[in-house]
């Protein structure tokens, strides 16, 4: 990480929102010697990284993020002593399982050599696709998790990535001979919320596959709240303060400060800061596009899920959706504003590897599918049909369940506009201009946006907050 220049005169920063990006920004500012105050609307800090008893007492569920390849692999988080503040990563033997209708599952093994063997006829093609980036993760991660376009520090590595990444998932999947490997890649690419024939869907598939081998897909012991608690603990050590149950409705309500970093999305920025931003910038924010939403279910279970493919118990994360064609159809439907009859379901079973999540012998499961933004459709039956398809009898072991529609999610975190968990569509335009061409900067010199609506986008990695705070500090240093 770049060394932090300290200011000689005491400056003050306010941060709105305590999601991973708000906290990352707060830490960078506090490291530079600023007095930092974070204002959080909800009673608990963390935004998308919170853990709560959402079903029954003693069952700890992740409200938002559950599995953290980019958390463990984040260049900024890795530079902090978060383990000293209680953060412990737990890995399952394999990062991901993808069950199929024949009662078997494709497993994405952690070690590349094991993946080569288990993917059989496609093992070599898989390794060719990801190996250079897995082997050079420490160079690759900072390149990819920063604002683009940028002059690459590792041009040949990034040129190689660009050659594959600009393709759609559909085109990349044609490199594989087996339907099983194609299905596996479809599940990875579906994290993009794009149609699998769209540019960048392949890049996201690769960006999910590469860390699986390089750093794993772990969960924090105790849930994603442990990431937040560790960030808050380190921030407190630097003198920063987090004020919960403190919604900010206008920047005018903030204490006097030199700079404000907003961990909010463009629509909220307009509401709380629009009066201090110029008309041209406000119009650009109004044009920002949100992506599909999610419908989520948290389960308290009597016992572990009995998957037809027993090897699914080796993985925390499962992708339920069958073949490439079926997953592609599900994502295409959502991208065109419809609900999939057989939705692609992402499922995590963290309590199999972290006993702190549930009472003795009991389990928690987290599952969601994509839906059109703002959808009011109840997807419970369709999600459970997908789970039953690969684990017959699942419904019989459910002790309690809680569903979250798009509106329910947004009511618990205002950044989840219409249920969009990534802070806006990540298509080519919003990859480069996120949320505008100015990226973190706004039309006001002392106001910055630092949420997942800025580069590099969604996920718990804190890199949006890190880069936004660096940008603010650079400008303050020049203005000083
Ligand atoms: C269901 C779900 C599943 C997910 N799964 C994963 C996963 O497995 N892995 C992964 O890496 N990511 C996952 N994510 C995405 C991840 O949670 C987000 O990308 C990440 O949290 C974005 O961080 P952020 O700091 O930009 O915003 P957020 O985490 O959304 O935090 C924003 C914070 O700002 C606060 N706020 C908003 N407006 C105001 C205001 N006016 N005043 C005061 N406070 C305000 C909010 O209350 C919130 O606490 C998931 C998200 C959801 C919802």
């Amino acid at each position: 990480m770049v060394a932090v220049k300290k200011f000689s005169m005491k400056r003050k920063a306010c941060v709105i929102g305590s999601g991973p990006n708000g906290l990352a920004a707060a830490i960078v500012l506090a490291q530079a010697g600023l007095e930092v105050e974070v204002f959080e609307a909800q009673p608990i800090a963390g935004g998308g990284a919170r853990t709560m008893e959402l079903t029954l007492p003693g069952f700890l569920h992740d409200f938002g993020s559950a599995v953290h390849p980019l958390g463990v692999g984040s260049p900024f988080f890795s530079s902090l002593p978060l383990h000293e503040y209680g953060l412990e990563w737990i890995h399952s033997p394999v990062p991901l399982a993808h069950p199929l209708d024949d009662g078997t599952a494709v497993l994405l093994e952690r070690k590349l050599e094991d993946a080569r063997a288990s993917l059989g006829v496609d093992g070599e093609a898989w390794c060719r696709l990801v190996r250079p980036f897995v082997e050079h993760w420490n160079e690759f991660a900072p390149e990819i998790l920063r604002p683009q376009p940028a002059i690459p520090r590792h041009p040949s590595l990034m040129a190689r990535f660009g050659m594959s990444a600009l393709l759609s998932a559909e085109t990349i999947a044609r490199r594989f001979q087996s339907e099983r490997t194609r299905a596996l890649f479809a599940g990875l690419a579906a994290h993009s919320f794009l149609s699998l024939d769209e540019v960048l869907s392949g890049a996201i598939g690769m960006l999910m596959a590469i860390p699986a081998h390089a750093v794993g897909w772990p969960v924090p012991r105790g849930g994603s709240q442990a990431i937040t608690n560790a960030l808050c603990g380190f921030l407190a050590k630097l003198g920063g303060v987090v004020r919960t149950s403190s919604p900010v409705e206008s920047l005018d309500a903030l204490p006097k400060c030199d700079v404000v970093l907003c961990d909010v999305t463009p629509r909220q920025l307009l509401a709380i800061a629009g009066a201090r931003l110029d008309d041209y910038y406000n119009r650009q924010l109004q044009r920002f596009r949100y992506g599909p939403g999610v419908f989520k279910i948290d389960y308290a279970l009597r016992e572990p899920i009995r998957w037809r493919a027993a090897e699914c118990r080796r993985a925390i994360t499962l992708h339920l959706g069958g073949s490439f064609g079926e997953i592609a159809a599900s994502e295409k439907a959502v991208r065109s504003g419809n609900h999939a009859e057989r939705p692609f379901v992402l499922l995590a079973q963290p309590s199999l590897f972290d006993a702190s999540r549930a009472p003795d012998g009991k389990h928690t499961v987290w599952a969601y599918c994509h839906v059109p933004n703002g959808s009011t459709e109840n997807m419970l039956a369709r999600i459970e049909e997908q789970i039953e398809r690969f684990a017959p009898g699942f419904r019989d072991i459910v002790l309690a369940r809680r569903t979250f529609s798009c509106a329910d999610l947004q009511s618990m975190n205002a950044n989840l506009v219409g249920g969009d968990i990534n802070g806006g569509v990540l298509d080519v335009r919003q990859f480069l201009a996120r949320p505008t061409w100015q990226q973190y900067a706004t039309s006001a010199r002392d106001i910055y946006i630092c949420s997942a609506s800025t580069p590099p986008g969604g996920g718990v990695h804190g890199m949006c907050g890190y880069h936004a705070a660096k940008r603010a500090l650079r400008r303050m240093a020049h203005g000083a």
Side-chain angles (χ1 to χ4, degrees):
M1 292 279 98
V2 183
V4 177
K5 173 182 181 293
K6 296 228 181 199
F7 290 94
S8 47
M9 232 169 53
K10 199 69 186 169
R11 311 279 187 106
K12 174 155 179 148
C14 288
V15 177
I16 302 172
S18 68
N21 287 313
L23 293 173
I27 288 171
V28 173
L29 297 167
Q31 284 175 324
L34 274 74
E35 184 188 333
V36 180
E37 216 172 335
V38 181
F39 296 87
E40 167 54 50
Q42 297 293 321
I44 310 173
R50 279 180 291 168
T51 306
M52 306 171 198
E53 286 183 341
L54 293 171
T55 55
L56 299 172
F59 289 83
L60 295 178
H61 302 277
D62 286 325
F63 162 74
S65 68
V67 184
H68 297 92
L70 297 179
V72 69
S74 159
F76 180 57
F77 288 173
S78 306
S79 74
L80 307 177
L82 298 181
H83 57 282
E84 290 172 20
Y85 295 84
L87 179 59
E88 182 193 342
W89 294 112
I90 298 176
H91 293 263
S92 49
V94 296
L96 171 68
H98 187 122
L100 294 168
D101 287 319
D102 63 3
T104 67
V106 196
L107 299 182
L108 185 60
E109 297 283 348
R110 169 98 186 257
K111 282 198 191 139
L112 207 45
E113 284 318 308
D114 295 342
R116 180 211 291 273
S118 82
L119 295 176
V121 64
D122 290 320
E124 192 48 49
W126 186 269
C127 288
R128 265 202 309 276
L129 184 67
V130 299
R131 187 195 295 284
F133 318 106
V134 173
E135 288 178 348
H136 295 99
W137 174 258
N138 290 338
E139 293 81 44
F140 178 67
E143 292 271 34
I144 209 70
L145 295 174
R146 69 172 171 151
Q148 305 291 343
I151 298 168
R153 292 180 200 115
H154 303 277
S156 59
L157 189 68
M158 295 318 289
R160 188 156 182 182
F161 181 71
M163 270 171 355
S164 292
L166 285 176
L167 306 173
S168 69
E170 203 174 75
T171 308
I172 291 183
R174 284 198 205 107
R175 297 180 189 182
F176 305 125
Q177 295 175 40
S178 159
E179 281 304 324
R180 298 169 67 85
T181 319
R182 289 192 192 127
L184 177 73
F185 193 71
L188 293 164
H191 283 251
S192 65
F193 283 81
L194 298 172
S195 197
L196 301 194
D197 54 6
E198 275 181 82
V199 177
L200 282 190
S201 59
I204 303 296
M206 289 178 68
L207 285 178
M208 299 309 295
I210 293 162
H213 304 297
V215 288
W217 281 22
V219 296
R221 185 175 301 285
S224 59
Q225 188 75 48
I227 303 174
T228 299
N229 292 350
L231 291 168
C232 287
F234 185 58
L235 177 63
K237 171 92 187 317
L238 298 170
V241 178
V242 179
R243 302 201 187 285
T244 51
S245 302
S246 303
V248 175
E249 275 153 30
S250 159
L251 294 198
D252 297 340
L254 292 175
K256 192 168 166 350
C257 59
D258 298 283
V259 66
V260 185
L261 274 91
C262 304
D263 182 11
V264 303
T265 76
R267 194 174 299 177
Q268 298 142 275
L269 188 64
L270 278 164
I272 62 179
R276 293 198 13 206
L277 305 171
D278 71 29
D279 289 348
Y280 176 69
Y281 183 76
N282 280 351
R283 278 200 302 280
Q284 284 183 291
L285 287 185
Q286 276 155 7
R287 282 200 288 270
F288 187 77
R289 287 161 299 124
Y290 290 90
V294 307
F295 183 95
K296 177 179 182 249
I297 314 177
D298 286 295
Y299 291 99
L301 301 183
R302 199 178 58 216
E303 57 187 69
I305 301 181
R306 274 182 257 117
W307 299 103
R308 265 200 301 145
E311 58 271 36
C312 289
R313 286 183 66 165
R314 293 180 61 213
I316 291 175
T317 307
L318 278 91
H319 285 164
L320 311 179
S323 67
F324 185 102
E326 208 183 321
I327 296 172
S330 157
E331 298 313 288
K332 200 178 198 64
V334 173
R335 193 78 166 110
S336 10
N338 300 308
H339 295 85
E341 264 322 303
R342 292 181 110 188
F344 169 63
V345 175
L346 296 94
L347 182 145
Q349 43 185 12
S351 57
L352 278 186
F353 304 92
D354 176 5
S356 73
R357 305 292 186 103
D360 264 1
K362 308 282 190 296
H363 287 273
T364 57
V365 157
W366 161 111
Y368 70 82
C369 72
H370 301 159
V371 291
N373 191 281
S375 158
T376 54
E377 193 106 348
N378 187 338
M379 298 296 284
L380 171 69
R382 280 180 253 186
I383 288 181
E384 291 195 351
E385 268 159 39
Q386 287 289 52
I387 304 176
E388 285 273 344
R389 174 177 167 192
F390 302 106
F394 167 74
R395 287 192 185 97
D396 303 336
I397 62 168
V398 175
L399 296 172
R401 54 171 73 72
R402 179 153 167 197
T403 60
F404 292 88
S405 66
C406 296
D408 296 330
L409 290 167
Q410 191 173 345
S411 72
M412 290 174 72
N413 178 352
N415 283 29
L416 304 175
V417 176
D420 177 349
I421 68 171
N422 276 333
V425 176
L426 191 70
D427 57 9
V428 174
R429 198 176 103 204
Q430 291 196 169
F431 169 71
L432 295 169
R434 191 167 182 85
T436 69
W437 289 106
Q438 287 166 263
Q439 299 179 330
Y440 313 102
T442 69
S443 58
R445 279 185 74 79
D446 57 345
I447 303 172
Y448 293 80
I449 177 166
C450 68
S451 69
S453 304
T454 65
V460 172
H461 43 65
M463 296 305 291
C464 310
Y466 167 82
H467 287 295
K470 288 286 184 193
R471 178 81 56 95
L473 288 170
R474 273 200 302 276
R475 205 189 250 183
M476 286 171 86
H478 287 132

